[in-house]
Amino acid sequence: MIFGKISEVKTKMDFIQWLGPDMSIKVLSYLDHPCDLVRVSSVSRSWNRFVIENGLCKQLFFEMFPEISDVVDSVEVDNMMIEPVTNMLDNCANWECLKREHKAYAVMAFKLKPYVKNCISKAIAASSTNNYPEESIVNTLEPGDRTENRASYWLSEGQSSPGVPESLVYKLCSKICLITKIRVQPFQAYFQDGSPIYSAYTIRFRIGHPRHHIKLESAIAHGIATSNMVGDTTQFVWTYTSPYYQMLQENQLQEFTLPEPALGIGGVLLVELRGRVQQQGLYYYIGISHVQVVGLPILQAFDVKTYQPSGKYTLKYCPPDNCIYSASSSRSDSNNHSRLWSLTSSITKLDVILFMMHCLVLVLGILLLMTKKL
Amino acid sequence: MAEEKSQASSSKMLTLKASDGVLFEVELNIAKEMKTVQAYIDDCEDIETIPIPNVLGKHLAIVIEYIKKTNEEYDAEFEKQWNMDDLQLLLLAANYLNISGLQECLCKAIAKRIENKSPEYVRKVFNIENDHSPEEEAKLRKEYKWAFEGVDKD
């Protein structure tokens, strides 16, 4: 570490050199997504070396899956054996080996990372909004309570009774996901005296879908999905309701883990907030700065097709082999006709070969019979 | 000396002197949170003024404040207030003074600031020159294409 005139030296020195290897490893160890580590390794050559030489991707993978060393003995990449998983880093001194290890663990961590931040695709509406559009539900899609230019939060209308609940409704992303937890950050009015936090006492979640998809889609598209829709119990069919959780009066992204993962299929999520904590003047308000839905994406082989008049969805199953085939033929020409043609033409070729082989066998068989008879 | 020892240790005051000469009077139990200072005290019991040659007054003030107030709520607010330069200097200070709680808080804070950000953003924030050749960089981006998607806008 460098002491002395740090404030002058630091602006010219590399973060990793300046903080020292131990402290730098500590900082980078708090990055809990393999994508972050890969991006960090692309910042410069020295950072690249640092991430790879210190096996940070391997370290992250073991934090995610400490049980892996009980199951996996070693990893092989490009027909070359990487050091066994229980091995310490020092034994893998060769740079090429370290690079292979870095890539293998980065990719494995990425593929296995059960973490999708953006299960929310859109904000639909809030049960009430104090100051629309400045304090609208759309702000809750932004992390934190402020952007560069302004504060970013949703605030309900004021109520004289603290018992009046509020709800926020979001559209989930169209792919299928299994929702495991929801994170909510209450809003702290940092610009008000005393920085009050406008949280609720309790919170719960409901997952479902709209009764009238087209009506809702149209309302969203035209920006007229209203607070009335949120309050109207006939608008939605709720397929899952979570228990109530206690919300803390703290300005942090609070995590609520569902007792069991809940299936979200192109539907909606409702965040229900009960019990107003904070007053301003005569009225009680609830304010939220950020909402995040964490889930596990289900296999790519399933897709969600548009809904039926029954109000339910059709799931399309497209196994990987067929998908690759149709994807590659669709690259040249995306219309159905040409896909059918390439599909038909290759079947025809196969059939022709088989047919000819059958003919050959038949002819040989007949010849044999004829010679025997003679 | 006898008189000093008869005082309750929690009310005994110590003076810490920062690198730019700024003096801070702190209670002993606060100073003891800094394991480096603790080691100093263990070595020379009578000491009243402890020099801290590697930390500016500005940063020592923040560190002392942190120790006095520390709890989870304060942590969350604490890390938001400082720019990246200050965070790094504070981390160096916390490391030198050997305050593990503050070290952790600052490491987390720095990591949080680079989470989900592009390499360009990270280079800008830490003032790092990109010494990859264009071919090297293109190769990296191609090889790890999945890592460069869905990044926060700079």
Side-chain angles (χ1 to χ4, degrees):
Chain A
M1 281 204 297
I2 316 286
F3 296 125
K5 302 214 163 144
I6 293 169
S7 51
E8 287 167 21
V9 171
K10 69 168 169 58
T11 50
K12 299 181 181 64
M13 282 188 72
D14 194 305
F15 158 109
I16 286 181
Q17 289 172 348
W18 182 61
L19 281 181
D22 293 340
M23 208 42 53
S24 302
I25 289 175
K26 215 164 173 177
V27 170
L28 296 179
S29 305
Y30 280 107
L31 292 173
D32 61 1
H33 202 290
C35 291
D36 283 322
L37 279 175
V38 168
R39 282 192 291 264
V40 153
S41 74
S42 73
V43 163
S44 72
R45 280 183 182 164
S46 58
W47 280 47
N48 189 261
R49 277 212 95 86
F50 189 78
V51 169
I52 293 177
E53 277 174 353
N54 290 289
L56 294 180
C57 285
K58 182 177 180 178
Q59 185 184 287
L60 174 63
F61 186 82
F62 275 91
E63 272 168 25
M64 284 164 63
F65 303 104
E67 68 276 27
I68 199 79
S69 52
D70 294 337
V71 176
V72 175
D73 173 54
S74 54
V75 178
E76 195 183 290
V77 173
D78 297 334
N79 296 319
M80 302 187 79
M81 188 73 73
I82 291 183
E83 298 299 312
V85 294
T86 51
N87 225 338
M88 295 303 287
L89 196 60
D90 333 288
N91 289 358
C92 187
N94 173 276
W95 172 247
E96 287 306 318
C97 172
L98 285 168
K99 259 171 68 176
R100 277 196 300 274
E101 202 172 61
H102 164 80
K103 182 161 188 188
Y105 285 109
V107 172
M108 280 201 294
F110 173 68
K111 291 289 183 187
L112 292 172
K113 179 89 179 170
Y115 186 78
V116 167
K117 262 191 196 167
N118 52 350
C119 279
I120 293 178
S121 80
K122 276 199 184 99
I124 296 178
S127 46
S128 75
T129 305
N130 185 49
N131 209 352
Y132 188 89
E134 289 84 4
E135 294 172 334
S136 87
I137 184 183
V138 169
N139 295 331
T140 62
L141 300 181
E142 288 281 339
D145 56 10
R146 61 199 93 170
T147 60
E148 270 187 35
N149 311 319
R150 53 171 185 81
S152 168
Y153 61 94
W154 160 79
L155 193 70
S156 71
E157 277 176 352
Q159 294 283 348
S160 45
S161 159
V164 178
E166 293 283 347
S167 298
L168 298 170
V169 179
Y170 299 90
K171 183 165 188 279
L172 293 170
C173 59
S174 57
K175 299 287 181 184
I176 308 170
C177 52
L178 204 57
I179 294 165
T180 51
K181 40 186 134 179
I182 298 157
R183 296 186 179 136
V184 180
Q185 183 172 355
F187 175 60
Q188 179 166 36
Y190 53 88
F191 43 78
Q192 286 179 351
D193 274 345
S195 299
I197 302 178
Y198 290 92
S199 67
Y201 276 116
T202 56
I203 189 171
R204 76 167 175 179
F205 310 99
R206 307 187 90 171
I207 297 171
H209 56 265
R211 242 179 246 282
H212 310 288
H213 295 270
I214 296 172
K215 195 171 156 195
L216 182 68
E217 293 293 330
S218 167
I220 295 173
H222 292 96
I224 54 169
T226 64
S227 50
N228 290 337
M229 285 175 115
V230 173
D232 185 354
T233 49
T234 63
Q235 286 286 341
F236 300 100
V237 175
W238 301 116
T239 51
Y240 172 82
T241 303
S242 81
Y244 282 103
Y245 298 87
Q246 199 193 357
M247 211 174 173
L248 300 175
Q249 275 66 60
E250 279 171 24
N251 178 16
Q252 30 173 293
L253 198 60
Q254 299 176 28
E255 193 168 274
F256 305 98
T257 307
L258 300 183
E260 280 167 8
L263 203 59
I265 304 180
V268 295
L269 172 89
L270 178 107
V271 178
E272 192 182 296
L273 300 149
R274 287 186 170 263
R276 298 163 189 250
V277 176
Q278 188 62 47
Q279 238 176 327
Q280 198 207 337
L282 295 172
Y283 297 108
Y284 290 89
Y285 295 83
I286 301 182
I288 299 290
S289 53
H290 188 42
V291 175
Q292 228 179 54
V293 174
V294 179
L296 205 78
I298 302 294
L299 307 172
Q300 307 256 315
F302 284 93
D303 200 351
V304 177
K305 279 186 84 171
T306 47
Y307 34 84
Q308 303 304 311
S310 63
K312 296 184 182 174
Y313 289 99
T314 298
L315 294 185
K316 179 177 153 191
Y317 175 52
C318 187
D321 297 337
N322 283 5
C323 284
I324 292 167
Y325 185 89
S326 56
S328 57
S329 58
S330 71
R331 255 182 233 139
S332 46
D333 189 339
S334 60
N335 72 53
N336 286 336
H337 177 74
S338 122
R339 264 212 296 279
L340 188 61
W341 170 248
S342 33
L343 189 69
T344 326
S345 65
S346 61
I347 285 177
T348 309
K349 280 184 208 141
L350 191 62
D351 273 353
V352 163
I353 293 167
L354 284 173
F355 178 73
M356 283 174 69
M357 279 174 67
H358 280 114
C359 286
L360 200 61
V361 166
L362 205 59
V363 165
L364 283 171
I366 293 168
L367 279 172
L368 261 171
L369 270 172
M370 282 169 72
T371 49
K372 270 197 175 165
K373 274 191 176 171
L374 293 170
Chain B
M1 212 154 79
E3 280 163 26
E4 279 171 347
K5 278 187 181 166
S6 69
Q7 281 176 351
S9 59
S10 60
S11 59
K12 184 181 175 191
M13 302 298 275
L14 269 181
T15 305
L16 302 177
K17 185 174 172 187
S19 63
D20 47 0
V22 182
L23 297 171
F24 296 91
E25 216 177 70
V26 292
E27 287 174 0
L28 184 64
N29 61 344
I30 303 282
K32 279 183 167 194
E33 288 292 320
M34 308 180 208
K35 298 205 176 58
T36 308
V37 172
Q38 169 80 74
Y40 223 107
I41 299 171
D42 289 342
D43 276 345
C44 352
E45 273 180 20
D46 296 350
I47 195 111
E48 282 184 2
T49 302
I50 297 174
I52 314 280
N54 309 306
V55 186
L56 289 167
K58 167 186 172 190
H59 297 117
L60 193 53
I62 298 169
V63 167
I64 292 168
E65 183 79 359
Y66 176 87
I67 297 173
K68 280 186 187 166
K69 283 198 180 172
T70 189
N71 60 52
E72 260 185 45
E73 207 176 282
Y74 185 68
D75 271 10
E77 269 314 296
F78 178 79
E79 60 99 351
K80 284 184 191 177
Q81 301 172 49
W82 317 114
N83 66 33
M84 189 52 92
D85 285 348
D86 278 332
L87 278 182
Q88 290 177 79
L89 285 167
L90 283 167
L91 183 54
L92 275 187
N95 198 36
Y96 172 70
L97 294 166
N98 206 348
I99 310 169
S100 50
L102 181 56
Q103 276 177 339
E104 254 192 61
C105 170
L106 291 165
C107 284
K108 264 191 217 167
I110 294 176
K112 202 164 161 193
R113 301 247 176 133
I114 58 179
E115 229 169 64
N116 215 37
K117 295 281 191 276
S118 68
E120 291 78 17
Y121 179 91
V122 175
R123 284 176 200 136
K124 191 170 130 204
V125 148
F126 293 114
N127 220 0
I128 297 170
E129 201 191 307
N130 178 14
D131 55 355
H132 284 304
S133 70
E135 295 80 26
E136 274 170 358
E137 178 142 11
K139 187 176 172 220
L140 256 171
R141 285 194 177 240
K142 194 177 169 196
E143 210 179 337
Y144 294 95
K145 188 169 160 229
W146 46 268
F148 293 92
E149 291 162 2
V151 164
D152 287 348
K153 292 198 181 106
D154 286 355

